[in-house]
Amino acid sequence: MYLPVEKCFELDKIVKSFEVAYRGFIVTQLVNKYNDINKFSIAVNHLDSSLKQSPILGTKKYKQRIIKIKKEIGSYYKKIEDCHSNVNDKDFGNQVPFVSELIDFVVLFFDGCFNDLAKGFSSIEDFNSNNVTYSHIRNWLSHPASSKITADDAKHTLIFIKKISQNIPSKYYWYIAKRQVYDWCDELLKKIEETGIKYHNLSSISFSHQKLIERETELDDLKSLIFGKDIGYRKSGSVAIYGYGGIGKTAFILEFLYRTIKEINDKQLKDKIDFLLFFTAKDELLSFNETTKKLYIRDINKQILGFDDFVEKLKELLEISNLDDLKKHSGILVIDNFETLSNEDKPRFFDFIKKVPRTIQFVITSRNEEPCEDKINLREFYEREKGLSFIKGYIDYYELKVSLKETEILKLIELSKGNTLILVLTLQMLSNNHPIENLFTDLESVESSNIEIISDFMYKNTIGNAIEFLASKNHNPIEILKVVSLYDVPVDLYSMSKISNQSVQSVEFVCEYLTTKLILEKIGETYKPNEFANKFIVSKYIPNRIELKRLRERIREHQKELDYKLKRLENARKKEPLLDGIMEDWKPKNSIDTVAISEAFGLFGKTREYINGSQTCDITFINSEFERLEKMTSHPYIRFQKARCFQQILEKSEDKVNKVELEQKVSLYYEDAIDTTDFYYPYIKNTKSYASINWIYGIFLSSVTNDYYKSLRYLEDAVLIFRRLKIFDKAYYTAINNLSWVYFKLHKSENDDIYLSELKPLFFEIKRNKDKLIAIGFNYDLYMQNFGKYFIEQRHTGPNKRYKKLPRK
């Protein structure tokens, strides 16, 4: 929880009033011990040797402080003497040490001068930690709006002031009386417990509120979703914050709640909210054992056990007897670690979300992409600048005894894949003098106990539950996970299907599901495992050595066959310009697309052989080959080529029943090719090939099925695409010719001049480009013969005029 502005002003008054006494006590102790600059200088020079013996010194950090004091010994001692003079005279006006310098003096000269200050604290480390927090608070208060102050830090500082004041004689409180400082502390401690929210349970949360680093963009996104971007903007009823284990989802939502309370107290939030409630189903935490230097998973008790338990706790906290009374309230309900709830309870939560009034909003954190109205995916800090900023910010804020070169930070980001949990744990281990080389070795090794614990924590329940669910749907996810894990590069659905001996449909369902669980990552049309999910997969599901050898061999054979086909394709493209053009225009997404397109291209020739009476292939072979290619990829060229091949077969067929069936199939294949392009391969829409699909299908509809109305749509689209791409070649003008015939046929059948009015601009476009069309082989004279009589005004002597000139558009 954050301290509102008016309470910051009160805290500022207390901290600075106490500072006068604290400062006076510290400089007096130093002057009494070292009453001239020579003694002080000798003591500073001896600090190096005593550095290792001090229980509260961070060696690297304070070595730099000692070097600075040595260089400026005269200036430092002068400020100490001047300040001591202020204490004796109970006056001010001289130079005084900065608070940061006072804290340094306490730490550096603790053993000889300041042991008594730690009385009343549980340990020297506890005293030092509170001393540092006090220093931070003092600095933030001196620079208003530079940093938010948490209620916990404020409380710790006030308690620190009260405790330490017991060890500082009253004579040092000459500026403000000790009793007054005490009373102010007590008053503010009471006020801090008060919030502008009628109901909240944040004070009972077992997790400490820690500074959130590098998440401002996501916090702004969540604020916009919950409160609207501006007055009148839509607000979300439910938001899912999802990401894999350890990414910082719980810390993120707590930060949001604490900021919301601060904005309410500061009168910055106009929304009426009377409750903020946080319920967690978290059942374990990842911890570091400083003695064994090992990570371990610690079990904790869930705050809610299920839906019924949640409802009872909700009614108790809001002091209502039944859920109908929720309509009297407005607020935010957070359900943390949603993925650990049972499969029976999850639908009940979502039904509940749908039923409650819109004045109540829900935020769910989960390792899965839950079906909420809006979603925010918390990602790792893998990008160089974000990773550097996070690590440096974390070290600085928590004043860790860690010094890293930029090359070491970058290596840490690379090995951790920017995972927040791993970065934080690694920095904590480094601050406990764990050698960085050992940590790098751990992160590089799959068999490291620490890495096994991390991957177990991140994915144990997620992967186990996902496998159980998929198996219940008659899929074999383990076989697919093995292939994805052992494949050296992101792998496509067809390759997984072939190697794992599973259907493409099953593989696609498994991969899409595992992607929503953040176990796999989708890259274009391929998949790869999340780095730490892969470590879990390797440790739990990779088979024994004999099976492993067989699986690797199957993968190698498949890759070898694929490489062979790609090399053969390269040679074919050099010899066949048409194939090279198809590859350029149809833009395959990956190597599987490339191979499938080239094989589909070859089937056109095979179809011609079959039509010409060849015994090497038949319609069953052609159909089965296309079915095989369709399993490899959904690329629209496969269906387009299938349509063209079966159109050839249709043209040679003499069986009327068979012709009707073939017409329906060819239409379906063309339309599938166009629809697949529109929805899944939109980049192909900006190519001549897309215009050609519409053109060729339009011709098929008009010349084979005589469906002129449907043909009109596709031919018009084809002409518009040619124009949009500024392609004005023979294909374009031939498409205009085909479209002209359809307009003419509809004019004749409907006796409606509207079709002639559409044909007219096409006619004059052809007429304007006479020389160009003749040069490219377009039959200009035939076009004029067919349509010229409708648009070229002729002389008539009698009333029986054949054509009345249509008005210009």
Side-chain angles (χ1 to χ4, degrees):
M1 198 177 303
Y2 287 110
L3 212 61
V5 173
E6 70 271 11
K7 290 186 177 72
C8 286
F9 289 133
E10 292 184 48
L11 181 62
D12 184 61
K13 176 180 66 177
I14 296 167
V15 166
K16 289 176 181 173
S17 297
F18 164 73
E19 180 187 326
V20 177
Y22 195 29
R23 185 172 62 215
F25 177 78
I26 291 169
V27 297
T28 300
Q29 291 298 100
L30 289 173
V31 169
N32 289 344
K33 182 81 172 179
Y34 314 109
N35 57 15
D36 62 48
I37 190 171
N38 291 327
K39 289 179 182 177
F40 183 68
S41 181
I42 291 168
V44 171
N45 287 326
H46 285 166
L47 284 174
D48 278 330
S49 58
S50 62
L51 205 58
K52 294 178 183 178
Q53 300 169 10
S54 172
I56 63 173
L57 287 185
T59 307
K60 292 179 181 178
K61 173 182 171 181
Y62 282 99
K63 270 188 177 178
Q64 298 301 317
R65 307 282 172 88
I66 293 167
I67 291 170
K68 189 173 188 301
I69 293 171
K70 283 180 179 180
K71 285 182 179 178
E72 302 171 23
I73 193 75
S75 172
Y76 273 92
Y77 196 74
K78 177 72 166 55
K79 282 192 280 187
I80 291 170
E81 283 187 317
D82 286 352
C83 185
H84 183 244
S85 174
N86 287 347
V87 176
N88 289 336
D89 298 339
K90 295 183 180 179
D91 196 5
F92 44 86
N94 294 321
Q95 271 195 322
V96 296
F98 293 118
V99 172
S100 60
E101 293 171 344
L102 294 172
I103 302 302
D104 287 346
F105 291 149
V106 171
V107 173
L108 293 170
F109 297 101
F110 181 81
D111 287 336
C113 301
F114 303 110
N115 306 66
D116 289 345
L117 283 179
K119 289 178 181 177
F121 293 89
S122 61
S123 64
I124 295 173
E125 287 78 12
D126 180 36
F127 163 75
N128 191 48
S129 173
N130 280 278
N131 207 15
V132 170
T133 300
Y134 163 76
S135 176
H136 285 323
I137 294 287
R138 167 65 174 80
N139 185 49
W140 293 334
L141 290 169
S142 295
H143 303 87
S146 64
S147 183
K148 294 181 179 71
I149 296 173
T150 68
D152 282 344
D153 280 347
K155 285 192 285 188
H156 287 150
T157 298
L158 292 169
I159 293 167
F160 169 76
I161 289 172
K162 289 185 67 176
K163 279 185 179 181
I164 207 170
S165 291
Q166 295 174 11
N167 304 321
I168 298 175
S170 296
K171 68 177 183 178
Y172 294 102
Y173 288 84
W174 60 270
Y175 186 66
I176 296 290
K178 183 189 285 193
R179 183 71 261 167
Q180 181 65 76
V181 174
Y182 261 60
D183 291 343
W184 284 344
C185 286
D186 289 337
E187 287 172 15
L188 186 53
L189 281 168
K190 286 179 184 177
K191 289 180 181 178
I192 287 173
E193 297 302 325
E194 300 169 359
T195 68
I197 299 288
K198 187 174 181 181
Y199 304 101
H200 79 83
N201 63 343
L202 300 181
S203 56
S204 63
I205 295 172
S206 57
F207 316 118
S208 59
H209 177 207
Q210 307 232 343
K211 165 82 171 175
L212 199 67
I213 298 169
E214 283 294 316
R215 290 292 187 199
E216 291 303 317
T217 301
E218 294 90 340
L219 284 166
D220 287 343
D221 290 343
L222 181 57
K223 183 178 178 182
S224 295
L225 290 172
I226 294 295
F227 300 117
K229 288 184 178 180
D230 207 339
I231 296 172
Y233 275 69
R234 173 187 174 276
K235 299 174 185 179
S236 181
S238 61
V239 182
I241 309 296
Y242 70 100
Y244 48 74
I247 202 69
K249 300 179 294 295
T250 302
F252 174 81
I253 192 57
L254 286 176
E255 176 76 8
F256 174 76
L257 294 177
Y258 289 133
R259 289 191 182 193
T260 299
I261 288 180
K262 184 179 188 307
E263 289 190 13
I264 290 171
N265 289 331
D266 289 343
K267 308 289 191 295
Q268 294 177 353
L269 198 63
K270 296 179 181 178
D271 295 65
K272 292 181 180 179
I273 293 176
D274 65 358
F275 73 81
L276 289 174
L277 296 177
F278 175 91
F279 299 97
T280 184
K282 192 186 289 287
D283 57 3
E284 60 186 21
L285 293 171
L286 191 61
S287 301
F288 173 64
N289 188 311
E290 294 185 16
T291 305
T292 63
K293 307 294 184 188
K294 295 291 183 183
L295 297 173
Y296 68 97
I297 296 175
R298 175 164 58 90
D299 292 333
I300 60 172
N301 293 324
K302 288 184 177 183
Q303 189 184 0
I304 51 169
L305 302 175
F307 180 75
D308 293 328
D309 187 38
F310 158 76
V311 169
E312 289 307 311
K313 285 185 168 68
L314 176 63
K315 290 193 292 186
E316 180 184 346
L317 287 165
L318 291 180
E319 300 173 347
I320 58 177
S321 56
N322 61 72
L323 293 177
D324 289 338
D325 292 334
L326 282 173
K327 60 178 176 285
K328 302 174 185 176
H329 294 279
S330 60
I332 300 171
L333 276 172
V334 175
I335 304 166
D336 184 50
N337 278 79
F338 191 77
E339 78 282 349
T340 64
L341 295 167
S342 70
N343 290 330
E344 292 74 26
D345 274 327
K346 288 175 184 177
R348 298 179 70 193
F349 272 100
F350 287 116
D351 286 341
F352 176 68
I353 290 172
K354 291 173 185 175
K355 291 176 183 176
V356 299
R358 293 286 292 189
T359 54
I360 296 172
Q361 296 166 281
F362 292 80
V363 180
I364 289 174
T365 75
S366 178
R367 297 182 183 187
N368 304 327
E369 190 177 343
E370 304 296 349
C372 292
E373 287 181 21
D374 294 284
K375 301 169 188 179
I376 295 176
N377 183 198
L378 282 194
R379 303 303 300 264
E380 60 279 356
F381 296 112
Y382 197 39
E383 184 187 322
R384 173 192 166 98
E385 293 307 317
K386 283 195 173 183
L388 285 169
S389 179
F390 175 81
I391 291 172
K392 290 176 180 178
Y394 192 90
I395 291 171
D396 290 344
Y397 183 82
Y398 291 103
E399 294 201 333
L400 298 182
K401 296 176 282 186
V402 174
S403 178
L404 292 173
K405 301 172 186 173
E406 186 166 302
T407 53
E408 291 173 326
I409 293 177
L410 293 174
K411 186 172 182 181
L412 176 56
I413 294 168
E414 170 62 30
L415 293 176
S416 68
K417 307 306 173 188
N419 180 287
T420 317
L421 172 71
I422 298 169
L423 290 174
V424 167
L425 287 171
T426 303
L427 293 174
Q428 290 175 353
M429 293 163 80
L430 286 170
S431 71
N432 281 281
N433 301 316
H434 205 87
I436 192 167
E437 294 78 13
N438 292 1
L439 292 173
F440 284 161
T441 302
D442 269 1
L443 290 171
E444 287 170 333
S445 170
V446 174
E447 299 176 356
S448 153
S449 61
N450 279 338
I451 287 301
E452 189 171 342
I453 290 289
I454 290 171
S455 61
D456 209 38
F457 175 77
M458 289 171 62
Y459 284 103
K460 178 180 63 179
N461 293 329
T462 307
I463 294 181
N465 292 340
I467 287 173
E468 184 180 340
F469 168 79
L470 291 166
S472 73
K473 301 293 183 184
N474 298 317
H475 298 286
N476 193 344
I478 292 178
E479 290 304 310
I480 296 166
L481 282 172
K482 289 177 187 176
V483 175
V484 179
S485 177
L486 294 175
Y487 218 84
D488 295 332
V489 293
V491 56
D492 59 276
L493 294 173
Y494 173 73
S495 297
M496 280 186 270
S497 167
K498 187 173 180 181
I499 297 166
S500 66
N501 199 28
Q502 313 289 313
S503 72
V504 172
Q505 292 80 5
S506 176
V507 171
E508 183 173 20
F509 183 88
V510 168
C511 289
E512 289 295 327
Y513 184 78
L514 294 177
T515 300
T516 67
K517 303 302 177 186
L518 309 180
I519 297 165
L520 298 185
E521 297 173 10
K522 190 173 184 180
I523 304 169
E525 297 298 306
T526 61
Y527 296 83
K528 72 168 189 174
N530 174 280
E531 289 289 341
F532 284 91
N534 197 38
K535 293 178 187 293
F536 184 90
I537 295 164
V538 168
S539 65
K540 303 294 181 184
Y541 298 112
I542 293 302
N544 60 55
R545 290 190 177 185
I546 295 174
E547 286 185 50
L548 179 62
K549 185 177 180 182
R550 288 173 182 163
L551 180 54
R552 286 193 185 280
E553 188 58 35
R554 289 208 305 274
I555 291 172
R556 274 195 294 269
E557 285 298 317
H558 174 74
Q559 290 174 330
K560 185 178 176 182
E561 179 186 355
L562 195 58
D563 288 342
Y564 169 73
K565 287 182 176 180
L566 288 171
K567 287 177 183 175
R568 191 175 65 181
L569 171 61
E570 281 304 309
N571 293 329
R573 288 181 69 171
K574 293 173 184 175
K575 297 176 183 176
E576 178 59 79
L578 181 58
L579 175 59
D580 190 55
I582 287 170
M583 287 299 175
E584 288 297 323
D585 227 18
W586 285 93
K587 302 184 188 313
K589 287 183 177 180
N590 51 52
S591 57
I592 294 297
D593 278 359
T594 304
V595 169
I597 289 172
S598 71
E599 293 188 4
F601 174 81
L603 285 173
F604 193 80
K606 291 284 185 184
T607 305
R608 282 193 177 280
E609 290 177 17
Y610 162 67
I611 290 169
N612 294 329
S614 171
Q615 301 300 311
T616 58
C617 68
D618 56 22
I619 192 169
T620 304
F621 168 78
I622 293 166
N623 192 54
S624 65
E625 282 296 286
F626 273 112
E627 286 180 352
R628 178 179 65 82
L629 296 177
E630 285 166 338
K631 289 178 181 178
M632 288 175 66
T633 177
S634 60
H635 196 285
Y637 180 80
I638 308 304
R639 278 299 173 103
F640 173 59
Q641 193 71 338
K642 188 175 185 179
R644 293 182 68 223
C645 289
F646 277 83
Q647 187 175 345
Q648 287 188 85
I649 295 169
L650 167 65
E651 289 167 0
K652 292 292 183 181
S653 176
E654 296 178 357
D655 185 332
K656 290 185 178 180
V657 174
N658 188 42
K659 282 175 80 76
V660 172
E661 289 179 358
L662 283 172
E663 281 180 12
Q664 292 172 346
K665 285 183 178 180
V666 172
S667 288
L668 176 64
Y669 300 153
Y670 275 125
E671 288 177 18
D672 276 354
I674 293 168
D675 291 344
T676 303
T677 303
D678 288 345
F679 292 107
Y680 302 109
Y681 292 76
Y683 59 85
I684 294 176
K685 292 172 75 172
N686 293 317
T687 65
K688 183 179 178 181
S689 291
Y690 184 62
S692 298
I693 303 179
N694 285 273
W695 170 36
I696 292 169
Y697 184 39
I699 295 171
F700 172 78
L701 290 169
S702 64
S703 62
V704 179
T705 68
N706 296 320
D707 189 341
Y708 296 112
Y709 289 109
K710 199 171 182 178
S711 170
L712 185 60
R713 170 199 158 187
Y714 289 100
L715 287 172
E716 284 181 335
D717 283 353
V719 169
L720 289 174
I721 295 163
F722 277 122
R723 287 174 178 168
R724 187 181 76 238
L725 299 176
K726 294 181 171 53
I727 297 173
F728 303 107
D729 59 1
K730 186 176 181 180
Y732 166 67
Y733 289 107
T734 307
I736 285 182
N737 180 51
N738 300 129
L739 180 57
S740 299
W741 270 112
V742 171
Y743 281 141
F744 174 73
K745 291 285 186 183
L746 288 170
H747 163 66
K748 284 292 187 184
S749 64
E750 299 291 326
N751 194 27
D752 190 341
D753 283 352
I754 188 68
Y755 295 107
L756 282 181
S757 68
E758 294 295 328
L759 195 159
K760 182 180 179 180
L762 301 181
F763 172 82
F764 283 104
E765 184 177 353
I766 295 291
K767 193 170 184 297
R768 281 195 306 272
N769 291 282
K770 175 180 178 180
D771 294 339
K772 174 183 176 182
L773 293 177
I774 292 172
I776 62 175
F778 181 85
N779 197 332
Y780 178 84
D781 292 335
L782 181 61
Y783 186 89
M784 288 292 122
Q785 181 182 328
N786 289 328
F787 305 113
K789 55 191 173 184
Y790 293 99
F791 302 108
I792 298 175
E793 191 171 3
Q794 299 179 17
R795 294 178 183 179
H796 297 277
T797 57
N800 298 323
K801 198 172 181 180
R802 287 186 60 215
Y803 170 66
K804 182 180 179 181
K805 187 176 179 183
L806 288 167
R808 284 185 175 273
K809 281 191 171 183

